[in-house]
Amino acid sequence: KTQERVEQLALPPSRVPSNSVRRRIAIVGAGPVGLWLALLLVQKHSCQDPSTGRPVLWPDAPEVLLYEGRPKEGHCTRTDIRIALAPSTQLMLNKRVRSQFSTGMPIAEIEASILKRLKRISPQSRPQYEHKIHDIGEFARQGNFDCVFWAGGRRSLNDEVRDTLGCSMTETDSARVLVFQFKDLELGGSVNSDLATAAQIAAEWKLFRVLMRPGVEGVCDGWLWLFGIPSNAVALAKNSKEKKKEAPPQSFVEALKRVLSFGDDKDGVGDDAGTSDVEDNDNVEEDEEEDVEEGAAAAAARLLAAAEVFQQRIKPRECIARWVDAAFWSSEKVVCQAPTSSASERGSPPLILIGDAACGKPFYTGTTLNSHLKDVARMVDEVEWINDGAEFSAQRFQAYEKHYQSEIQRNFRFERR
């Protein structure tokens, strides 16, 4: 159908008369999934201008508007998160974006590449930054949108809004996990040993589990995921936001100390970690608080013992650590109806969840971006976006909903069976 439309347009679309009213499509969230959807929509409804050789939109192409809550200077800046792109995903992106994608790319580069191609085809579809949406119904009414796509991420819709929309989120039991990224191994360093057993013995903690992931050339030599962390140690996790620019840690132990905190101890875990500043005055509540401090110190000591083992076996010269919440999450449904505003003269448009707003899983199981991008591409192909005079209802997205339900029910870890 797309090829037929291109062949019919012997002249640039801007010179072809059209009396049709264009659909208005809003995309909330300019991360990789939101940008990808915007690009596919404008690509599907464009052709090459024979006089200039540049891509131009059809006159009846849907109007795609992209909204981003972050400021412009904060967009395309997430260089610390790298994505393992599957070969099939790389081929798909290379073809559509006309750029070179590879596994291990930072999200910042993925976003920048897609955005560059989007602006070339449809400059008017570039993100509108610092756009906060507090009322979805009012947003849809004021924009007179035929459809709203929500690509704002996992926690972009609160529980109250989700309950109203009928897309409540189910999250499996969450566990905090430590992720170490290491590189520049010394001579004799190796990841090919039973690190879990060694850590369990050294720390006297049988719950420790270790998962290794191979590194990416030019980025790191590997990632180590540590599970089964004592709860008292989890309570000592530092805020992930960096307070000051520091040189990268040079060992697993140093990296661990950067992400653990004891009260006002600026250096993390010190030699006197866990000692209480509370005076002994026989106050029961204060005594109980001191017990908690001692428990936390013991738990931190177990982590330090495990980190010592990792350093002795792997021997990196550089290592960083971060905390990750490991859980599977999924929405009850992804095809919803935007709330109806009291001032609205038309019915409420469909509200479609995409990307992590729909579902996701812990990073250690593999990225969900591959499946999110493919699901969006499938949906764009399935739906007729040109204004055909019929209502643009949620019914048009039933194939997308059906595929989503089959995927989350197939994977028992989503706990949707």
Side-chain angles (χ1 to χ4, degrees), residues 354-402:
I354 59 176
D356 282 352
C359 65
K361 60 183 181 178
F363 274 104
Y364 66 84
T365 63
T367 179
T368 52
L369 184 58
N370 290 289
S371 58
H372 289 331
L373 296 178
K374 292 174 182 176
D375 289 344
V376 166
R378 181 187 299 106
M379 177 188 62
V380 170
D381 286 342
E382 290 170 344
V383 175
E384 176 57 55
W385 304 90
I386 298 298
N387 192 343
D388 54 6
E391 180 185 4
F392 200 80
S393 68
Q395 188 65 31
R396 299 191 183 222
F397 299 93
Q398 288 311 300
Y400 174 63
E401 179 72 61
K402 183 177 180 180

Side-chain angles (χ1 to χ4, degrees), residues 141-398:
R141 186 191 71 81
Q142 289 187 354
N144 196 31
F145 295 120
D146 293 281
C147 185
V148 176
F149 285 93
W150 198 271
R154 175 182 177 182
R155 296 185 175 91
S156 56
L157 292 173
N158 63 41
D159 291 341
E160 183 179 353
V161 172
R162 282 185 172 275
D163 289 343
T164 301
L165 297 172
C167 60
S168 59
M169 181 77 80
T170 292
E171 184 176 300
T172 61
D173 291 339
S174 179
R176 294 220 83 182
V177 179
L178 269 172
V179 184
F180 295 90
Q181 177 181 307
F182 56 87
K183 68 177 183 178
D184 194 13
L185 306 191
E186 295 180 10
L187 185 65
S190 174
V191 297
N192 298 318
S193 62
D194 188 353
L195 295 169
T197 300
Q200 290 170 5
I201 294 172
E204 299 182 355
W205 188 255
K206 295 182 179 180
L207 297 181
F208 277 146
R209 291 181 293 123
V210 173
L211 176 67
M212 299 294 299
R213 288 286 187 188
V216 175
E217 185 176 358
V219 179
C220 66
D221 291 317
W223 287 272
L224 184 152
W225 296 72
L226 181 61
F227 302 84
I229 296 172
S231 58
N232 284 337
V234 171
L236 299 175
K238 270 187 179 179
N239 191 311
S240 60
K241 294 182 179 179
E242 292 283 349
K243 294 183 178 180
K244 60 181 178 179
K245 192 70 175 178
E246 298 178 294
Q250 298 179 348
S251 69
F252 277 93
V253 175
E254 188 181 342
L256 177 62
K257 289 181 178 180
R258 295 271 185 98
V259 296
L260 289 180
S261 176
F262 277 82
D264 296 327
D265 181 5
K266 296 180 181 179
D267 295 321
V269 182
D271 294 334
D272 58 347
T275 57
S276 175
D277 293 328
V278 180
E279 294 182 3
D280 182 8
N281 59 3
D282 295 331
N283 183 289
V284 175
E285 291 183 358
E286 292 184 357
D287 287 343
E288 289 179 351
E289 184 174 343
E290 186 173 359
D291 289 340
V292 172
E293 290 282 345
E294 291 173 351
R302 297 187 193 279
L303 283 179
L304 287 167
E308 288 279 8
V309 168
F310 301 151
Q311 185 62 32
Q312 292 169 7
R313 300 289 183 91
I314 301 175
K315 301 181 180 179
R317 292 188 178 92
E318 184 176 314
C319 181
I320 57 176
R322 62 188 173 97
W323 291 97
V324 172
D325 287 320
F328 286 76
W329 69 92
S330 61
S331 297
E332 187 169 332
K333 63 181 182 179
V334 290
V335 177
C336 313
Q337 209 74 33
T340 304
S341 170
S342 58
S344 178
E345 297 179 357
R346 54 182 290 184
S348 59
L351 175 69
I352 313 298
L353 307 184
I354 59 176
D356 282 352
C359 65
K361 60 183 181 178
F363 274 104
Y364 66 84
T365 63
T367 179
T368 52
L369 184 58
N370 290 289
S371 58
H372 289 331
L373 296 178
K374 292 174 182 176
D375 289 344
V376 166
R378 181 187 299 106
M379 177 188 62
V380 170
D381 286 342
E382 290 170 344
V383 175
E384 176 57 55
W385 304 90
I386 298 298
N387 192 343
D388 54 6
E391 180 185 4
F392 200 80
S393 68
Q395 188 65 31
R396 299 191 183 222
F397 299 93
Q398 288 311 300

Side-chain angles (χ1 to χ4, degrees), residues 24-28 65-67 128 131-145 147-150 338-339 341 349 351:
R24 284 176 59 83
I25 309 295
I27 302 173
V28 179
L65 296 101
L66 192 55
Y67 298 90
Q128 299 180 38
H131 198 103
K132 304 291 186 181
I133 298 173
H134 304 289
D135 185 324
I136 299 176
E138 185 63 16
F139 167 74
R141 186 191 71 81
Q142 289 187 354
N144 196 31
F145 295 120
C147 185
V148 176
F149 285 93
W150 198 271
S341 170
L351 175 69

